[in-house]
Amino acid sequence: MDTQRRPLIGGNWKMHGDGDEAISLANSLADARSVAELVVFPPFVHLGVVTDVLADSEVMVGAQDVSPHESGAHTGQTSARMLLDCGCTWTLVGHSERRHELGENDSLCAAKVTRALQEGLNVMLCVGETLEEREAGNAHQVVQDQLLESLKGCSSLDPGRLALAYEPVWAIGTGLTATPEDAQDMHQALRKTLSGRYDASSATGCRILYGGSVKPANAAALLTCPDIDGALVGGASLSADSFLAIASAAESWTSS
Ligand code: 13P
């Protein structure tokens, strides 16, 4: 992590928990104070209650997905404007579970990124390679292609509004984590790609988070890497204690 970028820690609650559990988890985060920015991504049906609980807190709320459409006859979809209206400030785009389970491709991700940014939502764009792609030596190419294709509609990059999450698919929910060296290597390459596509100062300002089995025990080793600016946490974000312990790992590094 570089001290010129404020760390960002995201909690992706995925499809876990009922309404009471979402309220209780949000309540346990409501008083959190951190050097890092904190954002949680609850299931859609709990967004209303979670944004209510966290309204006066420092914890931001985001959606796990957003429609590429402005409004209209799009059954089951949720527009950026609806999310903003409900108190969200962020959305994930291109999470690997959506790419792989629902067949979302880069051009759909690009449409979502463009729409969300246009409407005023901040975007956390997720990229990552599968195990087969890594073993074939293609990880960098795959991830770079995902990045450039998904940003196709963005002619400029506002680092305050767009963050990246590098989440190797083989590390998600498996207990396997990329080594800090491999993760740093990929983050540095992503930043270089951003610099080539945009400019050095936007690339330097853009937060690139690591995701994939991040836990309190491995967070510090990852967050000390110069190009790792935070974490996108799945399983460990379902407990306030472990989520905040990961945020404190960012804190101890930033203040050291
Ligand atoms: P886990 O932390 O459960 O591996 O999930 C990572 C993830 O997919 C966050 O978006």
Side-chain angles (χ1 to χ4, degrees):
M1 184 181 308
D2 185 308
T3 44
Q4 48 185 325
R5 294 183 288 273
R6 186 171 178 199
L8 178 58
I9 308 289
N12 179 3
W13 297 359
K14 304 192 179 181
M15 200 173 73
H16 291 289
D18 60 22
D20 287 344
E21 285 166 324
I23 291 171
S24 149
L25 183 49
N27 269 318
S28 348
L29 295 171
D31 293 329
R33 298 280 175 276
S34 177
V35 164
E37 282 191 293
L38 304 177
V39 53
V40 293
F41 299 92
F44 270 90
V45 288
H46 306 325
L47 283 173
V49 288
V50 171
T51 50
D52 280 352
V53 172
L54 295 175
D56 296 321
S57 82
E58 291 189 0
V59 181
M60 301 176 288
V61 181
Q64 296 175 16
D65 181 45
V66 65
S67 173
H69 304 290
E70 184 180 353
S71 67
H74 304 289
T75 303
Q77 300 193 39
T78 309
S79 72
R81 230 172 272 173
M82 289 170 179
L83 295 171
L84 286 160
D85 185 44
C86 161
C88 292
T89 48
W90 284 88
T91 184
L92 297 179
V93 172
H95 191 281
S96 73
E97 284 148 14
R98 296 194 63 86
R99 291 178 187 264
H100 295 284
E101 291 175 21
L102 301 171
E104 287 199 3
N105 60 20
D106 292 329
S107 72
L108 179 55
C109 292
K112 291 180 176 190
V113 169
T114 310
R115 173 70 61 194
L117 290 173
Q118 218 171 49
E119 302 284 348
L121 263 186
N122 301 330
V123 170
M124 192 177 290
L125 172 66
C126 306
V127 293
E129 82 285 357
T130 63
L131 186 58
E132 295 69 38
E133 289 162 342
R134 174 155 286 266
E135 287 178 346
N138 296 332
H140 280 260
Q141 191 60 52
V142 165
V143 168
Q144 171 170 323
D145 288 350
Q146 286 175 346
L147 177 66
L148 291 175
E149 290 298 312
S150 304
L151 291 180
K152 233 173 184 163
C154 300
S155 53
S156 62
L157 170 68
D158 177 350
R161 307 258 337 267
L162 183 105
L164 302 183
Y166 167 57
E167 301 201 297
V169 177
W170 48 271
I172 295 178
T174 57
L176 300 172
T177 319
T179 63
E181 294 73 26
D182 283 346
Q184 163 59 25
D185 189 43
M186 185 63 85
H187 283 227
Q188 191 175 32
L190 285 169
R191 203 177 301 286
K192 198 167 161 220
T193 303
L194 284 178
S195 179
R197 165 82 168 85
Y198 298 100
D199 55 78
S201 98
S202 320
T204 304
C206 183
R207 271 100 45 104
I208 308 179
L209 283 60
Y210 170 80
S213 300
V214 177
K215 308 274 181 264
N218 59 23
L222 289 158
L223 293 171
T224 47
C225 298
D227 286 291
I228 300 184
D229 308 309
L232 182 54
V233 186
S237 71
L238 298 174
S239 137
D241 285 350
S242 57
F243 184 62
L244 295 175
I246 291 167
S248 329
E251 218 150 290
S252 45
W253 167 247
T254 315
S255 56
S256 65

